[in-house]
Amino acid sequence: MTENAWTRWPSREALGPIGLSRPRRLLAWTVRLLVLSMLLWAAFSQRHVGPWGALTAAAGVALAALVSWAFFRTTYEHRLVPSLALMGVLLGIAATAEATGFNGPALVIWCGCGVSALERLPLGTAVPVATAALASYSAFTDDAWLTTAATVAGLALAGYVLRLDAEARGNAQRLLAQERAAREAEAESAALAERARIAREIHDVLAHSLSAQLVHLEAARLLIENGANRERILERVVAARGMARDGLAETRQALSALRGELTPLEDFLTELARTADGAEVTVTGERRPLSAEASQAVRRVAQEALTNVRKHAHGARVDVRLDYSEHEVTLNVRDSGGRPGELGGSGGGYGLLGMRERAELLGGSLDAGPVGEGFVVTLKVPV
């Protein structure tokens, strides 16, 4: 619902000092000091009053300054009734000054009331208040009617221009605050995304190495309890050590990836296939540069797929195919099927879920399922 322009207050950002440049602040305080000096000079320069009259006039000037400050505060807080009451007090001080022969101070106060009302009050209230103040000025000024009309029009225009300028400054302050909030939200979102990426990297490394180590160490413990020979126990310990060594290497690779230090994807797949018996790598299409996130997703999916082959299809022939097309890169890992390995029961079952999450976060897709006697994993990532 749109707020009525005649009843809408200027925003607090518009009425406050925030956003004013230093030169404008100095100019505003200079104008205020000049007006206050003129009023005090007029109070002490009148010959028809004695010393006590001049002191009374000075007290009136001080009262007008205090009331003006209070008017600025109540308008900033958008309190209409107190603001109108304070404006009435200022108009009354001006009328009293005119009645006691202080014509100059009265005219200055009326002009200030007219400009301030147009600048700081809702238009529906500001127009009649400014009309009353400027009409009082017109009635008691000694200038020619044309000069008076020009002065009144100039003051009204000045008050409205000050209002528009303040509202523009207030809008700029609100937009700046919204932009800062958006940047903070974006930074927080980026931090959360980075945390999630690091968590995925940690999962990929630990799930591949620690679970396998746990199986071997648990087997070694059972062998020791059952009094098995030294060679069988040593075999399990050596296997666990190998898993730890592989896990450390994967951790280094993950840290390098987080720092953006990635080896070429084709070299990585070739080295990965070398560690898996019976795996062959084929690369087709025109090679295209991938983002660090996309490249890391391909690497992790290949690792997870080959790990699953070792777990569930030990001794199977594996074909790893990397295909570059115009808009995406496709990784296809297919095995021919085989007997389950001794690590077939290890892991928490989150490998495929983690791979699918990686693909979806990059706007890609992942399909995995049995084909004939084997299993195939297909990853598609936009280039």
Side-chain angles (χ1 to χ4, degrees):
M1 181 177 180
T2 304
E3 191 176 1
N4 193 322
W6 290 94
T7 60
R8 184 181 67 243
W9 283 88
S11 65
R12 290 193 175 186
E13 293 84 359
L15 297 178
I18 299 177
L20 284 175
S21 62
R22 184 178 179 84
R24 291 192 62 173
R25 285 199 185 99
L26 292 176
L27 178 62
W29 279 106
T30 301
V31 171
R32 293 168 186 170
L33 291 176
L34 285 176
V35 171
L36 184 61
S37 300
M38 290 173 56
L39 293 175
L40 291 174
W41 178 82
F44 286 99
S45 64
Q46 299 293 330
R47 296 181 179 179
H48 67 281
V49 297
W52 289 107
L55 290 176
T56 303
V61 171
L63 177 62
L66 180 62
V67 173
S68 298
W69 175 84
F71 174 77
F72 274 62
R73 293 301 306 171
T74 55
T75 52
Y76 177 76
E77 297 171 359
H78 293 175
R79 299 166 59 192
L80 184 60
V81 174
S83 299
L84 292 177
L86 292 169
M87 182 60 69
V89 172
L90 286 173
L91 294 176
I93 292 175
T96 302
E98 176 64 31
T100 54
F102 293 92
N103 180 259
L107 297 179
V108 172
I109 294 175
W110 278 323
C111 291
C113 288
V115 173
S116 298
L118 289 172
E119 180 186 4
R120 303 183 69 87
L121 289 174
L123 281 178
T125 305
V127 170
V129 171
T131 300
L134 296 179
S136 299
Y137 167 83
S138 302
F140 292 99
T141 185
D142 296 331
D143 296 334
W145 71 270
L146 187 59
T147 303
T148 301
T151 302
V152 169
L155 290 172
L157 181 62
Y160 191 67
V161 168
L162 288 174
R163 180 191 189 90
L164 294 179
D165 178 72
E167 288 183 341
R169 178 166 49 85
N171 290 333
Q173 290 296 315
R174 287 195 297 274
L175 289 176
L176 181 60
Q178 293 174 2
E179 182 180 359
R180 288 174 178 170
R183 288 181 178 177
E184 291 176 358
E186 182 179 358
E188 182 177 358
S189 177
L192 291 175
E194 182 64 14
R195 291 174 187 171
R197 187 165 79 98
I198 294 174
R200 287 194 300 272
E201 298 298 333
I202 293 174
H203 164 267
D204 291 338
V205 172
L206 297 183
H208 292 157
S209 60
L210 294 184
S211 60
Q213 292 177 53
L214 180 62
V215 171
H216 284 295
L217 293 175
E218 179 65 16
R221 184 184 67 83
L222 293 175
L223 289 173
I224 293 173
E225 290 180 352
N226 295 328
N229 59 50
R230 181 176 180 275
E231 287 73 15
R232 294 183 61 189
I233 298 173
L234 183 60
E235 179 184 354
R236 292 292 183 172
V237 173
V238 170
R241 185 185 65 176
M243 292 294 178
R245 183 173 58 250
D246 294 341
L248 181 60
E250 290 185 14
T251 302
R252 289 170 179 167
Q253 291 177 359
L255 292 176
S256 297
L258 291 174
R259 291 193 297 263
E261 303 169 358
L262 292 172
T263 58
L265 180 57
E266 296 78 12
D267 296 345
F268 175 83
L269 293 178
T270 301
E271 180 64 27
L272 184 65
R274 186 177 295 117
T275 62
D277 296 336
E280 295 182 359
V281 177
T282 304
V283 180
T284 61
E286 182 181 354
R287 301 185 181 184
R288 298 175 179 272
L290 300 178
S291 65
E293 291 78 7
S295 177
Q296 190 68 358
V298 174
R299 295 163 194 260
R300 288 306 182 199
V301 169
Q303 281 183 321
E304 182 70 27
L306 291 177
T307 299
N308 287 338
V309 171
R310 289 197 300 267
K311 288 181 180 180
H312 307 292
H314 184 70
R317 189 185 74 256
V318 183
D319 293 324
V320 180
R321 184 181 183 89
L322 184 66
D323 177 58
Y324 289 95
S325 62
E326 183 178 359
H327 301 293
E328 66 182 9
V329 60
T330 302
L331 174 70
N332 187 280
V333 181
R334 180 192 296 263
D335 67 78
S336 60
R339 60 181 177 81
E342 61 183 7
L343 301 180
S346 64
Y350 297 105
L352 289 177
L353 177 61
M355 289 191 289
R356 186 167 287 110
E357 288 178 351
R358 279 182 177 274
E360 292 175 352
L361 287 173
L362 295 171
S365 63
L366 183 138
D367 295 319
V371 174
E373 296 182 357
F375 198 86
V376 62
V377 175
T378 303
L379 170 71
K380 294 183 178 181
V381 178
V383 176

